[in-house]
Amino acid sequence: MRIAETGMSGVYVIEHTYHKDLRGEFFKVFNGALFREAGLVTDFREAFHSTSVKNVIRGMHFQVPPHDHEKLVYTSHGCVLDVVVDIRPDSSTYGQYFATELSAENRKSIYIARGFAHGFRVLSDSATVHYMTSTEHHAESDRGILWNSFGCDWRLKGIDDDPVLSDRDRSFPGLENFDSPF
């Protein structure tokens, strides 16, 4: 397992070592000692599993303090474009985003600190995404920003790439109208 910096303070891509034999393959998603050594949170309190079809965009989600959280995200089936945007006003990267592919094939995960909005777009026919968070979900603290308000290249090229979003995700304010609680 290798924890790689991304250029955004608090966001890391984790490259997993895997083992493959005639039974299939195996890899470790989380190692507390390595995370602690890198200064990352290791006390995850809740885990989620989502399945989505091609061109679904889920995001850009976060929870406001005091229920904000760190998040560890990986994909066990399919491929997604995983996106985080810095919503910490005092950060030198405020409003900037980082995007990377997470897939069952590349076996990468992403660690996201507090103060970032997170989302993803499904690039394959379907995808299964897993999230571990350092706090439990608190519905009244659940927020988001509009997926297309911060200049992200979501790789939408043609008519077959129209994104599928929930009404809730379409209703979020744009980054330019967002009053950050961080």
Side-chain angles (χ1 to χ4, degrees):
M1 181 180 293
R2 181 168 122 13
I3 300 173
E5 295 183 13
T6 63
M8 294 188 110
S9 175
V11 178
Y12 300 85
V13 172
I14 295 128
E15 299 172 2
H16 301 279
T17 304
Y18 75 100
H19 305 282
K20 187 173 183 174
D21 63 21
L22 59 96
R23 299 169 296 168
E25 60 182 58
F26 172 85
F27 72 93
K28 189 181 303 186
V29 174
F30 171 74
N31 180 296
L34 287 175
F35 274 51
R36 280 189 299 279
E37 186 178 301
L40 306 182
V41 166
T42 60
D43 184 21
F44 291 104
R45 307 294 301 256
E46 204 163 43
F48 301 89
H49 165 114
S50 72
T51 57
S52 305
V53 296
K54 187 173 187 168
N55 292 328
V56 162
I57 292 178
R58 292 185 185 259
M60 298 292 294
H61 304 146
F62 59 93
Q63 287 197 169
V64 297
H67 301 285
D68 51 333
H69 53 235
E70 288 82 10
K71 188 183 285 189
L72 181 63
V73 181
Y74 70 97
T75 303
S76 64
H77 165 79
C79 180
V80 302
L81 179 66
D82 201 84
V83 178
V84 295
V85 62
D86 190 342
I87 55 173
R88 304 169 298 177
D90 294 335
S91 169
S92 64
T93 56
Y94 176 79
Q96 295 177 28
Y97 72 91
F98 174 80
T100 190
E101 282 189 17
L102 301 180
S103 70
E105 188 174 290
N106 72 18
R107 297 167 200 88
K108 291 181 181 178
S109 58
I110 189 167
Y111 176 93
I112 306 160
R114 297 167 191 252
F116 288 87
H118 171 255
F120 62 86
R121 174 181 170 236
V122 178
L123 301 174
S124 52
D125 288 336
S126 64
T128 302
V129 178
H130 305 269
Y131 324 63
M132 292 173 21
T133 59
S134 62
T135 62
E136 294 168 5
H137 181 258
H138 187 261
E140 294 80 21
S141 299
D142 202 16
R143 303 283 192 286
I145 61 168
L146 193 60
W147 67 280
N148 61 355
S149 68
F150 52 92
C152 180
D153 176 6
W154 289 92
R155 300 185 192 171
L156 298 168
K157 297 178 181 102
I159 195 156
D160 293 335
D161 289 331
D162 285 340
V164 179
L165 290 105
S166 70
D167 289 341
R168 177 178 174 263
D169 288 356
R170 287 184 191 281
S171 72
F172 290 140
L175 183 63
E176 67 281 358
N177 298 317
F178 172 67
D179 185 21
S180 179
F182 294 98

